Amino acid sequence: MKNYITTPIYYVNGEAHIGHAYTTFIADTLARSARLVGDETYLLTGTDEHGQKIEEAAAKQGKPTLQFADEISATFKNLWDEFDISYDQFIRTTDEKHKSGVQAAFAKMVEKGDIYKDFYEGNYCVSCETFFPESQLVDGGGCPDCGRATTIVKEESYFFRLSKYEQPLLQYYEEHTDFILPKSRRNEVISFVRGGLHDLSVTRTSFSWGVHMPDSLNDPKHVMYVWLDALMNYITALGYGNDGKLMDFWPASTQLVGKDILRFHAIYWPAFLMSLDLPLPKRIGAHGWWTRDGEKMSKSKGNVVDPREVAKHYGVENFRYFMMREVPFGQDGDFSQRALIDRMNSDLSNDLGNLLNRTIGMSEKYSDFCIDSVDVLKYHSKEINDAHAIISTLPAFMYDLQLHRYLEELWKIFSIGNKAIEEHAPWIKIKEGKTDEALATVALIANLLAKASVMLHSIMPKTTAIVADALGFEITTASYNTLIIANNLLETFDIKKVPPLFPRIDEPLMDEAPKAMLENETAPAVSVVVEMIDKKETTVGEDGLITIDQFFQTSLKIGTVLAAMEVPKSTKLLKLHVDVGEEYPRQIIAGIREYYSAASLVGTQVCVVANLKPAKLMGMLSEGMLLAAKDIDGLCLIRPEKSRIAGSSIG
Ligand code: MSP
């Protein structure tokens, strides 16, 4: 099956914000999901570069318009590359092929008798690049969409016979009930069209930064209306009006837009396509708008959320997961760091991350990392069947763009896993000598994680690839077919240890840290300190000596550093995840950043004081302390001479 997915093309009058990232994340998810099931897929995104608005923005900066457009367009493209968006083409409306494609489309509309020349006088909003009838203006002449002042423009114009398509459009909406999603928006569109469609002015003479008329019209003072130019990108990208090489991807399977531009996509665009004798897209999905901490984002308020910043602090895939999980498609959503952190801690760290850590930990202890699914169906057929019942409901949610429901349902698989661990307590089964049963439960969890990872792949591609790698397989159409379609289990494999994928976050990472915290960031974690457990029994003798028993009250253990990262806004602290042979790695905040880089620590061994009372440093929990020695040359960690099993006791 062919699958063509598009995002709107973004105006180049400003850089990308989280609203743009949102549409692009959804489009990328749909494309990845289609590719995974084996569909031939094409994902299009790009930039919308013509019109008075762009011309004015460039002039303001004193730059030639094309140079200005080049620069901003590149920032979008770079962002999508950084975010690993799997687009197949990044179209620009200044591309020569696009311009000649639009001219070909215009010529076809003329040929069809759908274009005529007349005069237009009306209230024009430069910002929205739209004329509005008097009746729609707000506050004495303001634009009904953005509120800015409109200007009266009278000019010669070519018109598109939109009115001719009023009935065909209504009939189309009637016959294709899922053409517009969500359904509530469909009703809005229908009542707008029922209210009557006026012919549409589709050329301008008041500026020249746009696509010119086809030569056949010999009318050089006219340029295309920017929306006609922009909408055509969806077919010029496929070669319309040129080689037409990719036109077999048309009609698009899903075209994603924000609610503010639905009218252009659900009314003008289908009418243009009817005029061109082309089929209409299968679905137009209109999403809601994002606010920040409950407020509309705007440059003047300085509260626009920069998607790069969010990704830098929280990770692009966690951000992506949050956006799709948090808000039902079509509704407005609010971005707050607190909400993002909560999702990361509860859904990703607690549910998914812990399940993986526990699987790795148990398999290490009970079967030397080997996972064998041989007894899974004997002891856990119910869990496997329940998981499959859930999985079978997922494609419909994806198809309906209900990604929050998709994820909500998918997460139930992790609940099945966690519940099975509690109920079947493999550690007790091992003690009772029921090794097969214990190992079957561990293998069940590994299989649940594998299946869930495949279904989560389109939303968190890199993260799930790491999970799959730990579970000895790769996420491909072939593994989708075996694990999901055929409901098979994993082959026998050795599980790989991976650093915890979702460290818990306690404090917002993008805010200014309170000054007091920054100044007070010295960590105690770096000197040989003996924590006295019980003051009475452990009092140091008058001679300054302690007994051997007193010494052994301190639990010292060998730890392996699984992950290390810098603590934002701290020059001294590193956050480490250290395996000390327990079910979960410990989080240790150590004041060693001036002496060690985070990367140099991963995989090395350290000595850990393991029975210190947990303490909070800069709002983060520290569950231990590293031994180190310091002199005038600086600080060095105390390490075992040879590598020892994590958790080995020192003493
Ligand atoms: N260039 C036109 C689209 C032409 S498509 C043939 C355009 N560009 S835009 O850059 O202004 O907006 C692009 C998309 O971003 C729109 O779908 C719009 O809804 C979306 N968003 C703009 N602000 C937004 C939020 N605050 N939240 C969510 N999406 C938002 O319109």
Side-chain angles (χ1 to χ4, degrees):
M1 193 180 125
K2 294 229 187 248
N3 224 313
Y4 180 36
I5 294 146
T6 67
T7 73
I9 46 174
Y10 304 110
Y11 282 134
V12 290
N13 59 339
E15 291 197 16
H17 57 66
I18 57 165
H20 301 134
Y22 180 54
T23 332
T24 312
F25 284 154
I26 299 178
D28 185 59
T29 295
L30 298 181
R32 284 177 186 273
S33 163
R35 287 190 200 105
L36 189 61
V37 304
D39 286 354
E40 210 182 325
T41 304
Y42 202 81
L43 173 60
L44 177 72
T45 188
T47 42
D48 187 354
E49 306 182 14
H50 288 134
Q52 198 171 349
K53 182 159 59 172
I54 311 296
E55 207 174 37
E56 285 175 2
K60 238 189 204 166
Q61 290 200 9
K63 288 185 179 165
T65 317
L66 185 58
Q67 182 196 326
F68 173 81
D70 284 347
E71 287 170 9
I72 309 256
S73 176
T75 65
F76 275 93
K77 190 160 185 282
N78 291 340
L79 182 67
W80 304 149
D81 289 338
E82 280 166 39
F83 282 7
D84 210 19
I85 300 300
S86 61
Y87 60 83
D88 293 284
Q89 188 182 153
F90 184 97
I91 193 171
R92 300 181 53 187
T93 53
T94 47
D95 291 341
E96 288 309 321
K97 261 183 70 182
H98 168 75
K99 291 196 269 184
S100 56
V102 176
Q103 288 169 336
F106 198 86
K108 164 91 190 180
M109 289 169 163
V110 172
E111 193 187 301
K112 193 82 188 284
D114 284 346
I115 300 283
Y116 63 93
K117 204 171 178 180
D118 203 340
F119 279 91
Y120 193 91
E121 182 168 358
N123 304 279
Y124 189 66
C125 172
V126 174
S127 181
C128 299
E129 303 279 14
T130 312
F131 277 106
F132 291 98
E134 197 76 42
S135 58
Q136 284 184 20
L137 300 183
V138 293
D139 300 335
C143 166
D145 279 354
C146 72
R148 291 185 179 88
T150 56
T151 43
I152 294 191
V153 173
K154 176 170 183 181
E155 52 181 56
E156 185 187 80
S157 173
Y158 286 88
F159 283 80
F160 173 75
R161 291 187 199 282
L162 187 62
S163 54
K164 169 178 158 189
Y165 291 98
E166 191 178 304
Q167 283 315 313
L169 283 171
L170 286 171
Q171 191 182 336
Y172 193 86
Y173 305 140
E174 203 59 46
E175 288 166 2
H176 300 81
T177 47
D178 59 358
F179 175 55
I180 298 164
L181 287 179
K183 290 263 154 69
S184 52
R185 296 264 169 231
R186 173 176 181 264
N187 301 337
E188 271 172 31
V189 170
I190 292 177
S191 42
F192 188 91
V193 177
R194 282 207 184 118
L197 292 178
H198 300 284
D199 290 349
L200 189 68
S201 158
V202 287
T203 66
R204 300 282 180 270
T205 53
S206 50
F207 62 92
S208 61
W209 181 243
V211 179
H212 289 265
M213 293 293 97
D215 289 344
S216 53
L217 286 173
N218 194 19
D219 208 348
K221 69 174 192 285
H222 285 265
V223 291
M224 305 284 175
Y225 169 46
V226 66
W227 270 102
L228 179 117
D229 162 4
L231 287 163
M232 291 298 166
N233 93 89
Y234 301 128
I235 51 173
T236 61
L238 302 179
Y240 181 87
N242 285 291
D243 61 17
K245 262 196 190 144
L246 294 166
M247 278 304 283
D248 51 355
F249 273 103
W250 191 258
S253 35
T254 308
Q255 301 210 261
L256 288 164
V257 298
K259 62 181 183 182
D260 53 316
I261 58 170
L262 177 62
R263 188 165 18 114
F264 300 96
H265 285 81
I267 301 172
Y268 299 174
W269 177 225
F272 293 160
L273 287 166
M274 286 175 178
S275 175
L276 298 177
D277 296 321
L278 285 173
L280 306 198
K282 291 189 197 118
R283 271 142 12 109
I284 308 281
H287 63 72
W289 269 45
W290 283 85
T291 51
R292 179 184 197 166
D293 299 314
E295 285 191 46
K296 196 171 174 209
M297 286 185 285
S298 79
K299 274 191 197 149
S300 55
K301 275 194 211 153
N303 69 343
V304 176
V305 186
D306 175 356
R308 259 196 193 88
E309 277 294 295
V310 184
K312 187 172 114 199
H313 288 93
Y314 294 96
V316 64
E317 296 201 352
N318 299 331
F319 172 36
R320 183 173 158 129
Y321 169 80
F322 164 75
M323 293 198 104
M324 289 190 225
R325 175 64 186 84
E326 193 71 5
V327 180
F329 185 85
Q331 291 183 20
D332 292 343
D334 186 51
F335 177 88
S336 77
Q337 292 193 76
R338 200 64 260 169
L340 170 58
I341 291 171
D342 287 349
R343 282 269 167 226
M344 286 176 67
N345 285 347
S346 71
D347 302 5
L348 298 175
S349 180
N350 280 1
D351 298 341
L352 169 53
N354 273 351
L355 205 54
L356 180 65
N357 293 343
R358 293 178 89 176
T359 314
I360 296 174
M362 289 191 290
S363 71
E364 179 177 16
K365 266 195 211 149
Y366 309 145
S367 57
D368 197 18
F369 294 109
C370 180
I371 303 264
D372 190 336
S373 303
V374 66
D375 287 328
V376 169
L377 292 179
K378 183 168 159 197
Y379 296 107
H380 294 294
S381 60
K382 175 163 173 15
E383 285 90 342
I384 291 288
N385 289 340
D386 288 351
H388 269 272
I390 292 169
I391 286 173
S392 64
T393 65
L394 298 181
F397 290 121
M398 177 79 73
Y399 183 77
D400 288 340
L401 306 176
Q402 292 296 312
L403 290 163
H404 77 294
R405 289 283 296 119
Y406 180 101
L407 288 166
E408 194 178 19
E409 288 303 305
L410 177 56
W411 245 247
K412 290 185 180 162
I413 297 179
F414 302 129
S415 306
I416 295 178
N418 276 317
K419 204 164 143 234
I421 296 183
E422 299 317 320
E423 265 174 30
H424 296 271
W427 50 95
I428 295 176
K429 295 272 159 64
I430 289 280
K431 280 190 194 143
E432 292 170 351
K434 295 177 183 161
T435 311
D436 285 0
E437 267 185 63
L439 296 187
T441 306
V442 180
L444 163 75
I445 311 301
N447 276 284
L448 293 176
L449 276 168
K451 288 168 191 282
S453 302
V454 174
M455 298 312 285
L456 183 59
H457 185 65
S458 57
I459 289 147
M460 304 187 81
K462 285 203 170 129
T463 312
T464 50
I466 298 173
V467 177
D469 186 47
L471 298 175
F473 78 106
E474 225 182 295
I475 301 177
T476 59
T477 304
S479 55
Y480 174 83
N481 286 337
T482 44
L483 288 168
I484 304 299
I485 302 293
N487 196 1
N488 286 344
L489 300 177
L490 291 165
E491 311 267 330
T492 309
F493 69 99
D494 283 341
I495 203 164
K496 260 192 219 157
K497 251 184 161 170
V498 287
L501 293 175
F502 311 105
R504 284 187 68 82
I505 297 175
D506 295 300
E507 297 295 325
L509 301 176
M510 278 161 57
D511 279 350
E512 283 296 313
K515 232 176 169 287
M517 268 189 178
L518 282 176
E519 281 163 7
N520 196 10
E521 63 172 38
T522 33
V526 291
S527 53
V528 184
V529 172
V530 179
E531 171 84 358
M532 303 306 177
I533 309 292
D534 179 337
K535 281 260 163 54
K536 256 189 239 146
E537 285 176 22
T538 56
T539 316
V540 179
E542 274 173 22
D543 50 4
L545 300 177
I546 57 168
T547 65
I548 185 93
D549 288 340
Q550 286 174 326
F551 173 75
F552 277 118
Q553 281 177 345
T554 308
S555 165
L556 294 172
K557 286 188 175 173
I558 297 295
T560 303
V561 181
L562 300 179
M565 57 223 91
E566 292 159 5
V567 171
K569 295 173 192 130
S570 163
T571 52
K572 294 183 181 158
L573 299 182
L574 287 182
K575 179 159 83 175
L576 309 176
H577 289 138
V578 184
D579 179 1
V580 288
E582 298 164 341
E583 200 115 283
Y584 305 115
R586 300 261 188 124
Q587 172 166 292
I588 297 180
I589 311 297
I592 55 176
R593 181 165 169 183
E594 288 159 286
Y595 310 97
Y596 291 89
S597 71
S600 71
L601 291 169
V602 177
T604 67
Q605 291 204 305
V606 288
C607 299
V608 178
V609 182
N611 61 345
L612 268 186
K613 266 209 184 107
K616 276 204 165 182
L617 286 161
M618 283 189 79
M620 289 169 298
L621 196 68
S622 186
E623 302 166 292
M625 187 173 80
L626 307 188
L627 299 190
K630 195 174 180 184
D631 67 9
I632 46 163
D633 288 324
L635 172 145
C636 72
L637 288 166
I638 312 290
R639 302 177 184 281
E641 187 199 355
K642 287 184 188 152
S643 163
R644 282 291 165 259
I645 294 172
S648 303
S649 50
I650 303 172

